[in-house]
Amino acid sequence: MQVDKTELAREFINLVPQARALQLEITEIHDGIAVIRMPYDPALVGDPDTGVIHGGAVSTLMDTCGGAATMSHPSNPGGTATISLRIDYLRAATPGQAIVARAECHHVTRSVAFVRATAHDDDPDNPVATATGTFTVEGAT
Amino acid sequence: MNRRPPEPVQVVKQRRDAALTALAGRVPYIRFLNISFDRRGDELTGVLNYDDKLIGNPELPALHGGVTAAFLEVTAIITLSWGLLWEDVESGVLTLDALEAGELPRLPKTIDFTVDYLRSGLPRDAYARAHVTRSGRRYASVRAEAWQDNHDRPIAQAHAHFLMPRKEG
């Protein structure tokens, strides 16, 4: 029987305490692409005047998604760690809506994986944030 | 002409601490990560109080990189806001009653945030300080670094830009 890779990744992310605390859910993962959803949670609000989610939670979502994309890339045999991450906040996410990140590991060398990511709420044509990141390639000699 | 005598130290401390508590205490996400702030005069040190839920790599184990980034961003925002607040707290324009009623300026908004990971975060408390390189009328530029046991062995550094809240009146 074929083991579903997405199912495996879901189980894997459930073992990460901070991912569980943010209720992150992998909805897609294959060939260097990962999509992760973070439901709206009042505990994650960064601006009490507006109810907008804190950028820090978006950082964790983007970082997790970038790492997952890197690990799902065919030429990356092992785990990964973030080297650097840059996030541009394009607009405030709409309070009450989930944030979905999509990361693409677009280039992998022997040592470094390069990732681009975007995040959006219920309006997929109008992203809330974009990110670029570099991640380690483990198992490289 | 008589000079006004200096305020008693406990009055000064109470007002400053009330301002800091009002500033950081009303942000749910700061409570979610259980970040507190040590204050010495106007200098703030963020403290990320360790909890198992902050782990991102259970095998090592290590703090989640996103948590470290968030900790730096929180420290940067609170330090920047604290700088804006300081004069009004010192001059008494912001009274204790007003602070406790939550009458605070709006928080700066993050425009962009860049983090470099230098070492993996160990499963214990972390500390962070932010340095406001420039605080303009519309934009601010802030650096921040986080460390654990040794200040000269930082686990991450960040730099970020913020959109400043509009001054009312």
mmCIF file of all heavy atoms in Angstrom, chain B residues 103-127:
data_model
loop_
_atom_site.group_PDB
_atom_site.id
_atom_site.type_symbol
_atom_site.label_atom_id
_atom_site.label_comp_id
_atom_site.label_asym_id
_atom_site.label_seq_id
_atom_site.Cartn_x
_atom_site.Cartn_y
_atom_site.Cartn_z
ATOM 1 N N GLU B 103 -5.182 53.997 27.903
ATOM 2 C CA GLU B 103 -5.034 55.126 26.975
ATOM 3 C C GLU B 103 -3.590 55.226 26.479
ATOM 4 O O GLU B 103 -2.786 55.988 27.003
ATOM 5 C CB GLU B 103 -5.462 56.430 27.661
ATOM 6 C CG GLU B 103 -6.961 56.540 27.821
ATOM 7 C CD GLU B 103 -7.369 57.774 28.600
ATOM 8 O OE1 GLU B 103 -6.650 58.784 28.548
ATOM 9 O OE2 GLU B 103 -8.400 57.700 29.281
ATOM 10 N N LEU B 104 -3.297 54.416 25.485
ATOM 11 C CA LEU B 104 -1.939 54.352 24.959
ATOM 12 C C LEU B 104 -1.943 54.656 23.475
ATOM 13 O O LEU B 104 -2.960 54.440 22.800
ATOM 14 C CB LEU B 104 -1.375 52.935 25.169
ATOM 15 C CG LEU B 104 -1.079 52.555 26.613
ATOM 16 C CD1 LEU B 104 -1.059 51.060 26.768
ATOM 17 C CD2 LEU B 104 0.250 53.143 27.034
ATOM 18 N N PRO B 105 -0.807 55.146 22.952
ATOM 19 C CA PRO B 105 -0.748 55.344 21.498
ATOM 20 C C PRO B 105 -0.842 54.001 20.776
ATOM 21 O O PRO B 105 -0.538 52.959 21.354
ATOM 22 C CB PRO B 105 0.616 55.994 21.281
ATOM 23 C CG PRO B 105 1.407 55.701 22.509
ATOM 24 C CD PRO B 105 0.429 55.515 23.623
ATOM 25 N N ARG B 106 -1.297 54.044 19.507
ATOM 26 C CA ARG B 106 -1.347 52.817 18.707
ATOM 27 C C ARG B 106 0.054 52.251 18.535
ATOM 28 O O ARG B 106 1.052 52.971 18.604
ATOM 29 C CB ARG B 106 -1.946 53.129 17.325
ATOM 30 C CG ARG B 106 -3.382 53.663 17.381
ATOM 31 C CD ARG B 106 -4.361 52.562 17.671
ATOM 32 N NE ARG B 106 -4.294 51.509 16.672
ATOM 33 C CZ ARG B 106 -5.035 51.496 15.562
ATOM 34 N NH1 ARG B 106 -5.863 52.487 15.308
ATOM 35 N NH2 ARG B 106 -4.944 50.497 14.706
ATOM 36 N N LEU B 107 0.126 50.944 18.301
ATOM 37 C CA LEU B 107 1.439 50.305 18.139
ATOM 38 C C LEU B 107 1.965 50.522 16.720
ATOM 39 O O LEU B 107 1.187 50.624 15.772
ATOM 40 C CB LEU B 107 1.315 48.797 18.405
ATOM 41 C CG LEU B 107 1.022 48.404 19.856
ATOM 42 C CD1 LEU B 107 0.650 46.928 19.936
ATOM 43 C CD2 LEU B 107 2.224 48.690 20.748
ATOM 44 N N PRO B 108 3.310 50.582 16.569
ATOM 45 C CA PRO B 108 3.878 50.653 15.210
ATOM 46 C C PRO B 108 3.537 49.377 14.429
ATOM 47 O O PRO B 108 3.352 48.320 15.029
ATOM 48 C CB PRO B 108 5.394 50.734 15.455
ATOM 49 C CG PRO B 108 5.581 50.920 16.914
ATOM 50 C CD PRO B 108 4.328 50.512 17.605
ATOM 51 N N LYS B 109 3.449 49.503 13.107
ATOM 52 C CA LYS B 109 3.161 48.322 12.274
ATOM 53 C C LYS B 109 4.435 47.873 11.580
ATOM 54 O O LYS B 109 5.186 48.695 11.046
ATOM 55 C CB LYS B 109 2.115 48.683 11.218
ATOM 56 C CG LYS B 109 0.746 48.944 11.803
ATOM 57 C CD LYS B 109 -0.289 48.973 10.663
ATOM 58 C CE LYS B 109 -1.683 49.227 11.212
ATOM 59 N NZ LYS B 109 -2.190 50.555 10.870
ATOM 60 N N THR B 110 4.662 46.562 11.551
ATOM 61 C CA THR B 110 5.855 46.030 10.902
ATOM 62 C C THR B 110 5.716 46.149 9.386
ATOM 63 O O THR B 110 4.720 45.727 8.811
ATOM 64 C CB THR B 110 6.073 44.554 11.277
ATOM 65 O OG1 THR B 110 5.902 44.418 12.683
ATOM 66 C CG2 THR B 110 7.463 44.088 10.886
ATOM 67 N N ILE B 111 6.730 46.739 8.753
ATOM 68 C CA ILE B 111 6.763 46.815 7.288
ATOM 69 C C ILE B 111 7.511 45.602 6.745
ATOM 70 O O ILE B 111 7.038 44.885 5.877
ATOM 71 C CB ILE B 111 7.471 48.113 6.819
ATOM 72 C CG1 ILE B 111 6.730 49.345 7.337
ATOM 73 C CG2 ILE B 111 7.589 48.120 5.294
ATOM 74 C CD1 ILE B 111 7.507 50.643 7.158
ATOM 75 N N ASP B 112 8.720 45.381 7.282
ATOM 76 C CA ASP B 112 9.488 44.204 6.904
ATOM 77 C C ASP B 112 10.339 43.768 8.083
ATOM 78 O O ASP B 112 10.631 44.560 8.978
ATOM 79 C CB ASP B 112 10.367 44.471 5.673
ATOM 80 C CG ASP B 112 11.368 45.580 5.906
ATOM 81 O OD1 ASP B 112 12.310 45.380 6.704
ATOM 82 O OD2 ASP B 112 11.213 46.654 5.302
ATOM 83 N N PHE B 113 10.683 42.489 8.071
ATOM 84 C CA PHE B 113 11.397 41.915 9.196
ATOM 85 C C PHE B 113 12.360 40.859 8.654
ATOM 86 O O PHE B 113 11.950 39.972 7.921
ATOM 87 C CB PHE B 113 10.385 41.272 10.160
ATOM 88 C CG PHE B 113 11.011 40.721 11.399
ATOM 89 C CD1 PHE B 113 11.228 41.543 12.500
ATOM 90 C CD2 PHE B 113 11.407 39.397 11.469
ATOM 91 C CE1 PHE B 113 11.808 41.047 13.660
ATOM 92 C CE2 PHE B 113 11.994 38.895 12.620
ATOM 93 C CZ PHE B 113 12.195 39.729 13.707
ATOM 94 N N THR B 114 13.648 40.993 8.993
ATOM 95 C CA THR B 114 14.655 40.038 8.523
ATOM 96 C C THR B 114 15.375 39.434 9.714
ATOM 97 O O THR B 114 15.841 40.163 10.590
ATOM 98 C CB THR B 114 15.685 40.743 7.622
ATOM 99 O OG1 THR B 114 14.995 41.447 6.601
ATOM 100 C CG2 THR B 114 16.638 39.728 6.983
ATOM 101 N N VAL B 115 15.434 38.115 9.752
ATOM 102 C CA VAL B 115 16.103 37.453 10.880
ATOM 103 C C VAL B 115 17.212 36.534 10.375
ATOM 104 O O VAL B 115 17.060 35.853 9.362
ATOM 105 C CB VAL B 115 15.070 36.691 11.765
ATOM 106 C CG1 VAL B 115 14.283 35.669 10.965
ATOM 107 C CG2 VAL B 115 15.736 36.030 12.970
ATOM 108 N N ASP B 116 18.352 36.582 11.059
ATOM 109 C CA ASP B 116 19.471 35.671 10.797
ATOM 110 C C ASP B 116 19.567 34.719 11.972
ATOM 111 O O ASP B 116 19.611 35.167 13.129
ATOM 112 C CB ASP B 116 20.808 36.438 10.739
ATOM 113 C CG ASP B 116 20.839 37.460 9.633
ATOM 114 O OD1 ASP B 116 20.112 37.286 8.650
ATOM 115 O OD2 ASP B 116 21.602 38.435 9.775
ATOM 116 N N TYR B 117 19.629 33.439 11.673
ATOM 117 C CA TYR B 117 19.769 32.448 12.743
ATOM 118 C C TYR B 117 21.241 32.106 12.912
ATOM 119 O O TYR B 117 21.921 31.749 11.950
ATOM 120 C CB TYR B 117 18.943 31.211 12.434
ATOM 121 C CG TYR B 117 17.469 31.522 12.436
ATOM 122 C CD1 TYR B 117 16.779 31.772 11.259
ATOM 123 C CD2 TYR B 117 16.775 31.629 13.639
ATOM 124 C CE1 TYR B 117 15.436 32.100 11.269
ATOM 125 C CE2 TYR B 117 15.435 31.957 13.665
ATOM 126 C CZ TYR B 117 14.771 32.188 12.478
ATOM 127 O OH TYR B 117 13.450 32.524 12.485
ATOM 128 N N LEU B 118 21.755 32.255 14.135
ATOM 129 C CA LEU B 118 23.185 32.096 14.377
ATOM 130 C C LEU B 118 23.515 30.797 15.109
ATOM 131 O O LEU B 118 24.540 30.179 14.849
ATOM 132 C CB LEU B 118 23.690 33.304 15.181
ATOM 133 C CG LEU B 118 23.317 34.663 14.548
ATOM 134 C CD1 LEU B 118 23.599 35.806 15.510
ATOM 135 C CD2 LEU B 118 24.060 34.872 13.241
ATOM 136 N N ARG B 119 22.644 30.410 16.000
ATOM 137 C CA ARG B 119 22.799 29.149 16.747
ATOM 138 C C ARG B 119 21.400 28.621 17.036
ATOM 139 O O ARG B 119 20.460 29.409 17.095
ATOM 140 C CB ARG B 119 23.518 29.386 18.092
ATOM 141 C CG ARG B 119 24.949 29.808 17.945
ATOM 142 C CD ARG B 119 25.576 30.116 19.304
ATOM 143 N NE ARG B 119 26.977 30.456 19.126
ATOM 144 C CZ ARG B 119 27.418 31.678 18.815
ATOM 145 N NH1 ARG B 119 26.556 32.670 18.683
ATOM 146 N NH2 ARG B 119 28.695 31.895 18.642
ATOM 147 N N SER B 120 21.292 27.312 17.258
ATOM 148 C CA SER B 120 19.955 26.821 17.578
ATOM 149 C C SER B 120 19.605 27.215 19.016
ATOM 150 O O SER B 120 20.470 27.264 19.893
ATOM 151 C CB SER B 120 19.859 25.311 17.358
ATOM 152 O OG SER B 120 20.544 24.626 18.362
ATOM 153 N N GLY B 121 18.344 27.538 19.221
ATOM 154 C CA GLY B 121 17.872 27.977 20.536
ATOM 155 C C GLY B 121 17.684 26.777 21.452
ATOM 156 O O GLY B 121 16.982 25.834 21.121
ATOM 157 N N LEU B 122 18.337 26.825 22.608
ATOM 158 C CA LEU B 122 18.239 25.714 23.556
ATOM 159 C C LEU B 122 16.907 25.789 24.308
ATOM 160 O O LEU B 122 16.306 26.851 24.405
ATOM 161 C CB LEU B 122 19.406 25.779 24.553
ATOM 162 C CG LEU B 122 20.798 25.704 23.924
ATOM 163 C CD1 LEU B 122 21.872 26.044 24.961
ATOM 164 C CD2 LEU B 122 21.043 24.324 23.339
ATOM 165 N N PRO B 123 16.466 24.644 24.870
ATOM 166 C CA PRO B 123 15.198 24.651 25.605
ATOM 167 C C PRO B 123 15.341 25.313 26.977
ATOM 168 O O PRO B 123 15.317 24.642 28.005
ATOM 169 C CB PRO B 123 14.849 23.158 25.721
ATOM 170 C CG PRO B 123 16.142 22.448 25.587
ATOM 171 C CD PRO B 123 17.026 23.293 24.735
ATOM 172 N N ARG B 124 15.520 26.611 26.973
ATOM 173 C CA ARG B 124 15.590 27.395 28.212
ATOM 174 C C ARG B 124 15.264 28.848 27.888
ATOM 175 O O ARG B 124 15.045 29.184 26.724
ATOM 176 C CB ARG B 124 16.982 27.263 28.850
ATOM 177 C CG ARG B 124 18.113 27.766 27.984
ATOM 178 C CD ARG B 124 19.462 27.455 28.600
ATOM 179 N NE ARG B 124 19.750 26.019 28.509
ATOM 180 C CZ ARG B 124 20.968 25.506 28.443
ATOM 181 N NH1 ARG B 124 22.023 26.280 28.492
ATOM 182 N NH2 ARG B 124 21.162 24.206 28.345
ATOM 183 N N ASP B 125 15.245 29.717 28.907
ATOM 184 C CA ASP B 125 14.875 31.119 28.687
ATOM 185 C C ASP B 125 15.802 31.783 27.673
ATOM 186 O O ASP B 125 16.977 31.430 27.560
ATOM 187 C CB ASP B 125 14.969 31.910 29.999
ATOM 188 C CG ASP B 125 13.897 31.504 31.009
ATOM 189 O OD1 ASP B 125 13.056 30.651 30.672
ATOM 190 O OD2 ASP B 125 13.929 32.032 32.131
ATOM 191 N N ALA B 126 15.279 32.753 26.963
ATOM 192 C CA ALA B 126 16.090 33.564 26.053
ATOM 193 C C ALA B 126 15.847 35.035 26.389
ATOM 194 O O ALA B 126 14.824 35.386 26.982
ATOM 195 C CB ALA B 126 15.720 33.271 24.608
ATOM 196 N N TYR B 127 16.815 35.855 26.017
ATOM 197 C CA TYR B 127 16.743 37.284 26.303
ATOM 198 C C TYR B 127 16.924 38.054 25.003
ATOM 199 O O TYR B 127 17.587 37.568 24.087
ATOM 200 C CB TYR B 127 17.833 37.680 27.314
ATOM 201 C CG TYR B 127 17.894 36.728 28.479
ATOM 202 C CD1 TYR B 127 18.847 35.704 28.536
ATOM 203 C CD2 TYR B 127 16.934 36.806 29.491
ATOM 204 C CE1 TYR B 127 18.852 34.799 29.580
ATOM 205 C CE2 TYR B 127 16.936 35.911 30.536
ATOM 206 C CZ TYR B 127 17.894 34.907 30.574
ATOM 207 O OH TYR B 127 17.888 34.003 31.598
#
